[in-house]
Amino acid sequence: MRLPRLFTPRTVVSAHCDLPCGVYDPAQARIEAESLKAIAEKYQANEDPEFRTRALIIKEQRAELVKHHLWVLWTDYFKAPHFEKYPHLHQLFNEATKLAGAGGAKGSADPAVAEQLLAKIEEISKIFWETKQG
């Protein structure tokens, strides 16, 4: 069954959410990464097995959020001219998302790994804000 022309969209758009708001900010990834670091620190300081289990579950959820926010910036905000101006940007995002993943902060309870992730996010943030100035 085909819809009448009256009901077909005239313009098709895509965005990181259902509404192309144009709102992007690496702070979302940074806040979740700060949570990862704090959880890792609390995990290391606590011997209670139930607390540690809950901490790991929450840490893994936060790591997924970090990856999500980084992917949105990588795939939706940054465009070809940005990657031309900052040729290391793809590598930077790749390293950051891997640090948020199972081989990084998601799979580790070491606060130092979360700190490495925060450093990568800070590098991305500097580039992001440079692009917003131009």
Side-chain angles (χ1 to χ4, degrees), residues 11-29:
T11 305
V12 177
V13 297
S14 62
H16 67 103
C17 60
D18 293 332
L19 181 67
C21 62
V23 176
Y24 300 96
D25 194 329
Q28 294 171 300

mmCIF file of all heavy atoms in Angstrom, residues 11-29:
data_model
loop_
_atom_site.group_PDB
_atom_site.id
_atom_site.type_symbol
_atom_site.label_atom_id
_atom_site.label_comp_id
_atom_site.label_asym_id
_atom_site.label_seq_id
_atom_site.Cartn_x
_atom_site.Cartn_y
_atom_site.Cartn_z
ATOM 1 N N THR A 11 10.955 16.688 2.823
ATOM 2 C CA THR A 11 12.365 16.770 3.167
ATOM 3 C C THR A 11 12.679 15.689 4.186
ATOM 4 O O THR A 11 11.950 15.509 5.152
ATOM 5 C CB THR A 11 12.691 18.149 3.779
ATOM 6 O OG1 THR A 11 12.281 19.169 2.879
ATOM 7 C CG2 THR A 11 14.176 18.281 4.063
ATOM 8 N N VAL A 12 13.766 14.974 3.973
ATOM 9 C CA VAL A 12 14.209 13.953 4.903
ATOM 10 C C VAL A 12 15.499 14.446 5.550
ATOM 11 O O VAL A 12 16.410 14.893 4.871
ATOM 12 C CB VAL A 12 14.445 12.607 4.186
ATOM 13 C CG1 VAL A 12 14.976 11.571 5.154
ATOM 14 C CG2 VAL A 12 13.154 12.134 3.534
ATOM 15 N N VAL A 13 15.553 14.401 6.881
ATOM 16 C CA VAL A 13 16.732 14.829 7.620
ATOM 17 C C VAL A 13 17.146 13.732 8.586
ATOM 18 O O VAL A 13 16.363 12.828 8.884
ATOM 19 C CB VAL A 13 16.473 16.140 8.409
ATOM 20 C CG1 VAL A 13 16.163 17.278 7.479
ATOM 21 C CG2 VAL A 13 15.363 15.953 9.422
ATOM 22 N N SER A 14 18.386 13.815 9.070
ATOM 23 C CA SER A 14 18.823 12.876 10.098
ATOM 24 C C SER A 14 19.648 13.642 11.122
ATOM 25 O O SER A 14 20.263 14.654 10.800
ATOM 26 C CB SER A 14 19.640 11.736 9.483
ATOM 27 O OG SER A 14 20.802 12.258 8.886
ATOM 28 N N ALA A 15 19.625 13.160 12.363
ATOM 29 C CA ALA A 15 20.345 13.817 13.443
ATOM 30 C C ALA A 15 20.622 12.803 14.540
ATOM 31 O O ALA A 15 20.177 11.657 14.460
ATOM 32 C CB ALA A 15 19.520 14.978 13.982
ATOM 33 N N HIS A 16 21.335 13.225 15.580
ATOM 34 C CA HIS A 16 21.661 12.310 16.676
ATOM 35 C C HIS A 16 20.451 12.003 17.543
ATOM 36 O O HIS A 16 20.495 11.146 18.410
ATOM 37 C CB HIS A 16 22.813 12.866 17.523
ATOM 38 C CG HIS A 16 22.490 14.100 18.292
ATOM 39 N ND1 HIS A 16 22.241 14.094 19.626
ATOM 40 C CD2 HIS A 16 22.367 15.390 17.891
ATOM 41 C CE1 HIS A 16 21.995 15.316 20.034
ATOM 42 N NE2 HIS A 16 22.071 16.119 19.007
ATOM 43 N N CYS A 17 19.377 12.715 17.329
ATOM 44 C CA CYS A 17 18.131 12.431 18.022
ATOM 45 C C CYS A 17 17.006 12.542 16.993
ATOM 46 O O CYS A 17 17.258 12.697 15.817
ATOM 47 C CB CYS A 17 17.927 13.395 19.199
ATOM 48 S SG CYS A 17 17.860 15.122 18.709
ATOM 49 N N ASP A 18 15.792 12.491 17.435
ATOM 50 C CA ASP A 18 14.667 12.533 16.510
ATOM 51 C C ASP A 18 14.359 13.928 15.979
ATOM 52 O O ASP A 18 13.519 14.092 15.125
ATOM 53 C CB ASP A 18 13.412 11.954 17.178
ATOM 54 C CG ASP A 18 13.557 10.471 17.443
ATOM 55 O OD1 ASP A 18 14.306 9.821 16.698
ATOM 56 O OD2 ASP A 18 12.937 9.978 18.386
ATOM 57 N N LEU A 19 15.040 14.918 16.519
ATOM 58 C CA LEU A 19 14.838 16.297 16.092
ATOM 59 C C LEU A 19 16.210 16.894 15.797
ATOM 60 O O LEU A 19 17.092 16.851 16.642
ATOM 61 C CB LEU A 19 14.160 17.091 17.220
ATOM 62 C CG LEU A 19 13.844 18.543 16.952
ATOM 63 C CD1 LEU A 19 12.757 18.668 15.882
ATOM 64 C CD2 LEU A 19 13.384 19.209 18.229
ATOM 65 N N PRO A 20 16.443 17.423 14.614
ATOM 66 C CA PRO A 20 17.777 17.962 14.311
ATOM 67 C C PRO A 20 18.029 19.268 15.063
ATOM 68 O O PRO A 20 17.902 20.364 14.522
ATOM 69 C CB PRO A 20 17.736 18.160 12.796
ATOM 70 C CG PRO A 20 16.292 18.339 12.472
ATOM 71 C CD PRO A 20 15.526 17.512 13.485
ATOM 72 N N CYS A 21 18.374 19.157 16.337
ATOM 73 C CA CYS A 21 18.510 20.332 17.202
ATOM 74 C C CYS A 21 19.802 21.099 16.978
ATOM 75 O O CYS A 21 19.872 22.290 17.255
ATOM 76 C CB CYS A 21 18.400 19.921 18.665
ATOM 77 S SG CYS A 21 19.710 18.787 19.172
ATOM 78 N N GLY A 22 20.855 20.414 16.513
ATOM 79 C CA GLY A 22 22.131 21.080 16.312
ATOM 80 C C GLY A 22 22.890 21.328 17.599
ATOM 81 O O GLY A 22 23.861 22.071 17.617
ATOM 82 N N VAL A 23 22.466 20.712 18.692
ATOM 83 C CA VAL A 23 23.133 20.908 19.981
ATOM 84 C C VAL A 23 24.119 19.759 20.190
ATOM 85 O O VAL A 23 23.732 18.600 20.305
ATOM 86 C CB VAL A 23 22.121 20.953 21.141
ATOM 87 C CG1 VAL A 23 22.834 21.062 22.480
ATOM 88 C CG2 VAL A 23 21.151 22.104 20.947
ATOM 89 N N TYR A 24 25.394 20.117 20.218
ATOM 90 C CA TYR A 24 26.459 19.143 20.441
ATOM 91 C C TYR A 24 27.404 19.723 21.479
ATOM 92 O O TYR A 24 27.648 20.925 21.501
ATOM 93 C CB TYR A 24 27.245 18.889 19.150
ATOM 94 C CG TYR A 24 26.401 18.362 18.029
ATOM 95 C CD1 TYR A 24 25.872 19.222 17.070
ATOM 96 C CD2 TYR A 24 26.132 17.008 17.921
ATOM 97 C CE1 TYR A 24 25.096 18.734 16.026
ATOM 98 C CE2 TYR A 24 25.356 16.511 16.879
ATOM 99 C CZ TYR A 24 24.841 17.382 15.937
ATOM 100 O OH TYR A 24 24.073 16.897 14.917
ATOM 101 N N ASP A 25 27.965 18.872 22.320
ATOM 102 C CA ASP A 25 28.917 19.350 23.310
ATOM 103 C C ASP A 25 29.676 18.150 23.877
ATOM 104 O O ASP A 25 29.052 17.208 24.378
ATOM 105 C CB ASP A 25 28.195 20.094 24.431
ATOM 106 C CG ASP A 25 29.125 20.908 25.304
ATOM 107 O OD1 ASP A 25 30.298 20.513 25.474
ATOM 108 O OD2 ASP A 25 28.681 21.943 25.811
ATOM 109 N N PRO A 26 31.001 18.176 23.823
ATOM 110 C CA PRO A 26 31.775 17.074 24.385
ATOM 111 C C PRO A 26 31.645 16.962 25.905
ATOM 112 O O PRO A 26 32.072 15.969 26.489
ATOM 113 C CB PRO A 26 33.221 17.390 23.984
ATOM 114 C CG PRO A 26 33.211 18.693 23.305
ATOM 115 C CD PRO A 26 31.813 19.162 23.140
ATOM 116 N N ALA A 27 31.040 17.952 26.538
ATOM 117 C CA ALA A 27 30.848 17.894 27.989
ATOM 118 C C ALA A 27 30.014 16.679 28.382
ATOM 119 O O ALA A 27 30.208 16.126 29.475
ATOM 120 C CB ALA A 27 30.188 19.177 28.496
ATOM 121 N N GLN A 28 29.116 16.254 27.511
ATOM 122 C CA GLN A 28 28.309 15.076 27.837
ATOM 123 C C GLN A 28 29.195 13.851 28.019
ATOM 124 O O GLN A 28 29.020 13.086 28.960
ATOM 125 C CB GLN A 28 27.273 14.830 26.743
ATOM 126 C CG GLN A 28 26.221 15.917 26.656
ATOM 127 C CD GLN A 28 25.342 15.750 25.431
ATOM 128 O OE1 GLN A 28 25.815 15.774 24.302
ATOM 129 N NE2 GLN A 28 24.062 15.575 25.673
ATOM 130 N N ALA A 29 30.150 13.661 27.126
ATOM 131 C CA ALA A 29 31.080 12.530 27.244
ATOM 132 C C ALA A 29 31.992 12.714 28.460
ATOM 133 O O ALA A 29 32.270 11.758 29.190
ATOM 134 C CB ALA A 29 31.910 12.390 25.971
#
